[in-house]
C-alpha cells in the first residue's frame, strides 16, 4: 500500500478528530479501524492505532483503551493503559472515569504503577466514582476499598477524612480496612514490616519526564513570557506567551492543564484566569474569579482549584474561592481567620495550608499559619512559624510543608523552615544560597526547587534546589533567560 495513501488517511484523521479525539464523536474511526482489521489492511489499522496513540489525553485514554481492547490492538491497549496509570490524577476527573464499570475501576486502582502524589488521590477517586451514581454503586464500596492502600495515608487524613466519610461509616468491611490502617500507624517500624498485605505495599510508578513551567512575573514590569526547564536535558526553552501581561498570579497544574489565576497586569489587579495546554502549546481563557486578586495562593484539593487571599488593589483579602473545572464555575468557601496577601499555600494530608503573608490592617508580616478542611468548610490555626514571612515560597515534599525565604519588612530572608503536620511543629533546615522573596517553589524527583524571586534589590534568574537527605541547597547551573519575581511556577508531565 502506498505511503502517499497512508499519509492522506492520517491527514484526514487529524482534520476530523482534533482536538483530543473522543471516540463517540468520531464515527470515522469506529468504522475505519474495524474494517481495516476485517479486510486485513494492516497498514491502515496500524495508521489508525498510531493516530489514536498520538491523541492520548486524560479525557479520552480510557475510551481509547476500551476501543483497542475491543479490536485486539494490543500495543495501543498497553500504551493507553500505561497512559491512564501515569496520568491517574487527571484521568479520574474525566467523564470517562466516572462512567467506567466496577471491574474496570478495580483494575485501574489496584495497579502498582499508578503515578500519584499520595494515596489520597485513589481514595478521592473511589468516592467520586461511587457518588456519581450513589444509589447503585454504594454496594461496591468494600470491593473498591480493598484496593485503596489506606495504611499509606497520613494519620490526620485517616481520622479527619476517611473516618468521617459516610460511605465508609455505612460499611463494616470498610471500617475493617480503616482499623487495619490505624493499627499499621500504631505499630513500631519492625512490626510494620511483618504486617504484609497489598494495602501496605508502596506503589512503584514509572517516572514520567518532567518540565518546570515558569509563567509571567515582574522583570521589572509584568511580562507575558513563559519558559520551561527540562530536568532531563537540563536546559530552558520558551513556549507560548500568556495572552496578556501577568505577575503576582496563582499557579497550579490540574487535569493536564496549567492555570494562571488572577494577578496584576501592570495597572490592574485582575479576576481573569488562563489555562495552558502543553500538548497544543496554547493558552485559553476560562471563567473569571468572583474577586480581583493578586499575590494570592493557589492549590488543588479534592479536584478543585482554590484561590486563597491576596490583594484586590485596596485591601488584603481573607476570602477564598474554588473553581470546578467541570462546570467552569467559581464559588466562595469559608474565609480565612486572617487577611493574607503575599500568602503561600500547600496541601498536605488532605488539608490546605495558608502560610504567613501580610495582613494589611496592622501592617505586619505574619508568622501565623492556618489550614482549611474542605469536609467541614472550616479554617483552623496551626503552629506558627519561628519567623514572620511575607512572600515566602511554599512547597510540599514527602508530606512536609516548606516555607522558603520571604521577608519581614525590609529584611529579605534566606532561611527555610519545614512543618510536620503529624507533630504540629516547625523546624529550621539549611539556608538557601541567597536571599529570596516572591520566588516560585515546586517539588520534583525528591527535591525542592526555588525559582527566581528578588533579593531586595534586583530580580533573580537563578534556580536552586534542596535535598532533604543531605540538608543542602545546590544552585542549578542553567539560569532562566529573564530575572523575574512574582512568577507562577509549577511542574508538569513532559508532553508526549
Amino acid at each position: 500500500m502506498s505511503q502517499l495513501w497512508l499519509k492522506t488517511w492520517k491527514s484526514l484523521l487529524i482534520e476530523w478528530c482534533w482536538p483530543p479525539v473522543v471516540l463517540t464523536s468520531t464515527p470515522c474511526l469506529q468504522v475505519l479501524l474495524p474494517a481495516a482489521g476485517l479486510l486485513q489492511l494492516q497498514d491502515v489499522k496500524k495508521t489508525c492505532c498510531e493516530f489514536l496513540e498520538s491523541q492520548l489525553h486524560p479525557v479520552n485514554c480510557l475510551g481509547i483503551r476500551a476501543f483497542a481492547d475491543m479490536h485486539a490492538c494490543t500495543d495501543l491497549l498497553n500504551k493507553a493503559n500505561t497512559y491512564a496509570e501515569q496520568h491517574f490524577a487527571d484521568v479520574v476527573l474525566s467523564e470517562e472515569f466516572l462512567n467506567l464499570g466496577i471491574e474496570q475501576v478495580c483494575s485501574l486502582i489496584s495497579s502498582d504503577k499508578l503515578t500519584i502524589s499520595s494515596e489520597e488521590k485513589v481514595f478521592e477517586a473511589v468516592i467520586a466514582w461511587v457518588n456519581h451514581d450513589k444509589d447503585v454503586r454504594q454496594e461496591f464500596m468494600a470491593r473498591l476499598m480493598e484496593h485503596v492502600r489506606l495504611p499509606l495515608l497520613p494519620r490526620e487524613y485517616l481520622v479527619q477524612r476517611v473516618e468521617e466519610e459516610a460511605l465508609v461509616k455505612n460499611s463494616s468491611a470498610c471500617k475493617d480496612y480503616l482499623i487495619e490502617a490505624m493499627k499499621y500507624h500504631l505499630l513500631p517500624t519492625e512490626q510494620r514490616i511483618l504486617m504484609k498485605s497489598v494495602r501496605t505495599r508502596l506503589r512503584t510508578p514509572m517516572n514520567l519526564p518532567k518540565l518546570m513551567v515558569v509563567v509571567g512575573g515582574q522583570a521589572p514590569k509584568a511580562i507575558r513570557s513563559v519558559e520551561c526547564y527540562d530536568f532531563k536535558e537540563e536546559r530552558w526553552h520558551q513556549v507560548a506567551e500568556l495572552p496578556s501581561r501577568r505577575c503576582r498570579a496563582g499557579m497550579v497544574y490540574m487535569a493536564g492543564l496549567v492555570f494562571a489565576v488572577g494577578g496584576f497586569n501592570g495597572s490592574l489587579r485582575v479576576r481573569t484566569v488562563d489555562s495552558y495546554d502543553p500538548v497544543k502549546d496554547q493558552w485559553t481563557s476560562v471563567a473569571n474569579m468572583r474577586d480581583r486578586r493578586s499575590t494570592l495562593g493557589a492549590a488543588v484539593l479534592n479536584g478543585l482549584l482554590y484561590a486563597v487571599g491576596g490583594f484586590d488593589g485596596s485591601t488584603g483579602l481573607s476570602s477564598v474561592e474554588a473553581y470546578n473545572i467541570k462546570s467552569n464555575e467559581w464559588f466562595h468557601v469559608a474565609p480565612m481567620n486572617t487577611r493574607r496577601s503575599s500568602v503561600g499555600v500547600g496541601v498536605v494530608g488532605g488539608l490546605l495550608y495558608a502560610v504567613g503573608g501580610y495582613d494589611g490592617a496592622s501592617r505586619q508580616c505574619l508568622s501565623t499559619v492556618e489550614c482549611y478542611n474542605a469536609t467541614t468548610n472550616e479554617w483552623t490555626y496551626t503552629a506558627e512559624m519561628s519567623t514572620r514571612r511575607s512572600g515566602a515560597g511554599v512547597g510540599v515534599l514527602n508530606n512536609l510543608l516548606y516555607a522558603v525565604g520571604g521577608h519581614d519588612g525590609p529584611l529579605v530572608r534566606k532561611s527555610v523552615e519545614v512543618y510536620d503536620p503529624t507533630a504540629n511543629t516547625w523546624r529550621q533546615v539549611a539556608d538557601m544560597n541567597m536571599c529570596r522573596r516572591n520566588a516560585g517553589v515546586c517539588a520534583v524527583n525528591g527535591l525542592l526547587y526555588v525559582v527566581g524571586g528578588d533579593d531586595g534589590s534586583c530580580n533573580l534568574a537563578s534556580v536552586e534546589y534542596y535535598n532533604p537527605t543531605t540538608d543542602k541547597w545546590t544552585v542549578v547551573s542553567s539560569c532562566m533567560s529573564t530575572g523575574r519575581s512574582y512568577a507562577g511556577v509549577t511542574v508538569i508531565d513532559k508532553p508526549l
Side-chain angles (χ1 to χ4, degrees):
M1 184 171 292
S2 75
Q3 291 301 310
L4 178 61
W5 194 86
L6 287 173
K7 285 180 180 178
T8 302
W9 268 114
K10 191 172 286 189
S11 65
L12 283 172
L13 285 170
I14 292 169
E15 183 179 340
W16 284 334
C17 305
W18 181 262
V21 55
V22 178
L23 288 163
T24 54
S25 64
T26 53
C28 58
L29 277 169
Q30 291 177 318
V31 173
L32 182 59
L33 194 146
L38 185 65
L39 299 173
Q40 297 186 351
L41 300 173
Q42 295 305 319
D43 286 343
V44 176
K45 183 175 180 180
K46 182 182 177 184
T47 299
C48 290
C49 289
E50 287 175 350
F51 173 75
L52 287 171
E53 182 186 338
S54 74
Q55 294 289 287
L56 285 170
H57 189 277
V59 303
N60 67 15
C61 60
L62 296 176
I64 290 175
R65 183 182 70 169
F67 190 65
D69 190 23
M70 183 187 303
H71 298 293
C73 302
T74 307
D75 190 48
L76 178 61
L77 171 64
N78 292 335
K79 286 176 177 174
N81 193 61
T82 298
Y83 186 95
E85 292 172 339
Q86 292 178 334
H87 297 82
F88 179 83
D90 296 324
V91 168
V92 297
L93 301 176
S94 70
E95 286 297 318
E96 284 192 345
F97 174 77
L98 294 176
N99 292 324
L100 284 180
I102 179 63
E103 300 300 336
Q104 291 97 332
V105 176
C106 287
S107 174
L108 182 60
I109 66 174
S110 63
S111 170
D112 278 341
K113 301 297 182 184
L114 294 186
T115 299
I116 48 174
S117 57
S118 165
E119 195 67 22
E120 296 166 21
K121 300 290 184 185
V122 184
F123 177 76
E124 297 296 344
V126 165
I127 300 304
W129 184 85
V130 173
N131 281 331
H132 189 65
D133 191 2
K134 187 175 177 181
D135 292 341
V136 174
R137 295 178 175 178
Q138 58 187 342
E139 66 177 275
F140 298 129
M141 268 301 291
R143 280 188 66 188
L144 293 162
M145 291 297 288
E146 179 184 354
H147 304 296
V148 181
R149 303 181 187 187
L150 291 181
L152 304 183
L153 287 165
R155 279 183 294 181
E156 292 72 22
Y157 188 83
L158 289 170
V159 172
Q160 297 171 1
R161 177 69 179 98
V162 179
E163 189 177 23
E164 294 302 312
E165 172 56 54
L167 291 168
V168 174
K169 286 182 175 180
N170 294 333
S171 168
S172 58
C174 290
K175 289 179 183 175
D176 290 340
Y177 293 131
L178 180 59
I179 291 168
E180 174 193 51
M182 294 296 196
K183 283 182 179 178
Y184 184 80
H185 279 276
L186 293 171
L187 290 174
T189 304
E190 60 272 14
Q191 290 185 356
R192 283 189 184 188
I193 296 171
L194 299 174
M195 189 177 170
K196 289 185 177 179
S197 83
V198 68
R199 287 175 297 282
T200 61
R201 188 171 70 223
L202 291 172
R203 299 188 193 263
T204 54
M206 293 174 61
N207 283 330
L208 287 170
K210 303 290 185 183
L211 297 177
M212 179 161 61
V213 184
V214 184
V215 179
Q218 287 184 195
K221 295 182 178 179
I223 58 175
R224 294 175 58 197
S225 163
V226 182
E227 51 189 315
C228 287
Y229 180 73
D230 190 312
F231 291 96
K232 185 175 181 180
E233 298 177 4
E234 297 183 352
R235 68 179 185 88
W236 292 90
H237 61 272
Q238 300 285 328
V239 295
E241 289 191 332
L242 282 159
S244 57
R245 295 191 297 156
R246 194 189 290 264
C247 64
R248 310 181 196 178
M251 193 69 48
V252 301
Y253 180 53
M254 179 176 73
L257 302 171
V258 175
F259 288 83
V261 183
F264 182 63
N265 65 12
S267 57
L268 295 172
R269 279 78 190 176
V270 299
R271 299 189 296 129
T272 57
V273 183
D274 293 318
S275 72
Y276 173 71
D277 186 331
V279 175
K280 300 180 188 176
D281 190 28
Q282 179 179 311
W283 287 92
T284 306
S285 294
V286 299
N288 288 350
M289 290 185 293
R290 292 174 177 263
D291 302 323
R292 299 178 184 274
R293 301 176 190 270
S294 69
T295 67
L296 67 151
V300 177
L301 176 64
N302 302 337
L304 297 175
L305 191 170
Y306 285 82
V308 179
F311 182 68
D312 66 4
S314 60
T315 185
L317 302 172
S318 61
S319 65
V320 181
E321 50 189 304
Y323 174 69
N324 185 326
I325 192 172
K326 294 177 184 175
S327 61
N328 191 32
E329 291 179 332
W330 288 88
F331 58 94
H332 281 108
V333 297
M336 294 180 289
N337 297 295
T338 303
R339 296 177 184 271
R340 298 179 191 270
S341 60
S342 295
V343 61
V345 299
V347 173
V348 187
L351 299 173
L352 172 63
Y353 289 83
V355 179
Y358 181 75
D359 72 354
S362 61
R363 297 185 178 181
Q364 283 191 334
C365 300
L366 301 168
S367 61
T368 59
V369 180
E370 49 189 309
C371 69
Y372 175 70
N373 185 326
T375 304
T376 60
N377 192 30
E378 292 177 334
W379 287 89
T380 309
Y381 285 111
T382 64
E384 289 191 23
M385 294 181 287
S386 63
T387 52
R388 300 176 188 272
R389 296 179 191 271
S390 178
V394 172
V396 176
L397 182 63
N398 301 329
N399 290 315
L400 299 174
L401 188 74
Y402 286 79
V404 180
H407 68 98
D408 182 8
L411 175 63
V412 182
R413 301 190 183 278
K414 65 167 67 172
S415 66
V416 181
E417 50 191 310
V418 59
Y419 176 71
D420 183 346
T422 305
N424 190 30
T425 55
W426 289 88
R427 61 180 171 85
Q428 295 283 329
V429 295
D431 287 358
M432 291 183 289
N433 290 287
M434 55 196 75
C435 300
R436 296 178 192 267
R437 64 181 175 186
N438 308 319
V441 174
C442 60
V444 62
N445 300 330
L447 303 172
L448 190 75
Y449 284 78
V450 180
V451 182
D454 73 85
D455 61 7
S457 60
C458 64
N459 293 324
L460 303 171
S462 62
V463 178
E464 52 187 304
Y465 64 84
Y466 175 71
N467 186 332
T469 305
T470 60
D471 190 33
K472 287 183 179 178
W473 287 89
T474 304
V475 177
V476 175
S477 58
S478 178
C479 291
M480 292 183 287
S481 64
T482 305
R484 54 178 102 196
S485 63
Y486 286 116
V489 177
T490 191
V491 172
I492 69 171
D493 297 325
K494 187 174 181 178
L496 292 172

